[in-house]
Amino acid sequence: MTHTTDISVVVPLYNEEESLPELTTWISRVMQQHGFTYEIILVDDGSTDRSWEVIQVLSKENSHIKGISFNRNFGKSAALNTGFKKSQGNVVISMDADLQDSPDEIPELFKMITEGRLDMVSGWKKKRHDPISKTIPSKFFNFITSKISGIKLHDFNCGLKAYRSRVVKHIHVYGEMHRYIPVIAKWNGYDKIGEKVVEHRERKYGSTKFGLERFINGFLDLLSIMFVSRFKKKPMHFFGPLGTLSFLTGFVIAIWVIGDKLYRLRFDLPVRDVVDQPLFFLALVALIIGVQLFLTGFLAEMMAMKSNTENEYLVADQIGFE
Ligand code: UDP
Ligand code: MG
């Protein structure tokens, strides 16, 4: 299905009242200069300033501007996800509201998706206007994510990204997973991921919404995303081997402790109480942990089975069906 809208620009925002008029004017100017049909989706993530009033005024002045207002602050991921699902453009571009990303990049990003046949393009803030406390950890974080995911990007968390429409319709961005959208995209089969060096500007109004905890949260999210992606469909493949290993270890030690005792009794050698031996307790713990892991595996498997049957697999194309 082709849409009549070329580009949807999705902008998550939290308390960015000062930036919005300038941002939307700039985006509209670029769209008109290049003759794109477009929509701008401003997702107000529970702002406590006047952002929503500003959006209502802007949307009256320019019919391309649409707004969504959250009941409360649900986070950047939720805002992006909602904007993505509502978007109608063939190419969807996400952009921060704080004027740190430049709308002048839009035409080239559009071209990379349409002519370059890429699934998504991620911006790379090669020259950053951020404090060093942010740039250094960010380098480390990007390096690790790239190594683990096998995606060769320098800047996973750049707010400026472009997607083929079906990509944003198929991926679910929740929690704080906006940092891993390229990874999520790849896992859904969208692995034609490009990168474009983009201009990064100083924040003009307001202040950053993320503190240093972003790195701790980011790292924990990376762990869960790795775990879930590998074992979500088959949790028993994770818990099973560990449980088996632990149970067998305990079992062997228990046999040894009992065998040793019987042997000593048989040949009238000096004996200790079984409960006097450290090995006995080791066996006990290993057996119990083994059983626990197995039971956890079964429970997880039952939950996964339920979600697996509800899950639809992403079909790239089909022929001969209505
Ligand atoms: N943002 C949001 N919800 C939040 C936090 C941030 O929608 O809970 C938006 C914010 O308004 C901005 C974008 O996400 O448009 C990036 O945030 P910010 O500029 O504070 O991040 P930084 O540039 O410091 O990484
Ligand atoms: Mg910013």
Side-chain angles (χ1 to χ4, degrees), residues 96 98 100 203:
D96 287 354
D98 55 2
Q100 290 197 273
R203 200 182 228 284

Side-chain angles (χ1 to χ4, degrees), residues 43-44 54 63 133 292:
V43 190
D44 179 0
V54 174
S63 62
S133 60
Q292 292 281 19

Side-chain angles (χ1 to χ4, degrees), residues 4 40 63 94 96 104 117 126 145 147 161 167 175 190 192-193 205-206 214 221 245 248 256-257 286 302 312:
T4 48
I40 304 174
S63 62
S94 68
D96 287 354
D104 288 335
R117 312 211 132 267
K126 199 166 181 179
T145 310
K147 280 278 163 276
K161 288 187 169 67
V167 178
Y190 301 110
K192 294 201 274 303
I193 301 174
Y205 308 102
R214 73 170 80 205
D221 284 345
L245 191 71
L248 280 182
W256 165 261
V257 170
M302 277 155 78
E312 52 178 297

Side-chain angles (χ1 to χ4, degrees), residues 16 76 96-101 125 130 134 200-203 207-210 214:
E16 309 278 5
K76 187 178 177 183
D96 287 354
D98 55 2
L99 292 163
Q100 290 197 273
D101 302 327
K125 297 163 288 188
D130 281 321
K134 206 157 134 185
H200 187 235
R201 299 144 41 90
E202 302 263 8
R203 200 182 228 284
S207 57
T208 180
K209 309 298 183 300
F210 298 101
R214 73 170 80 205

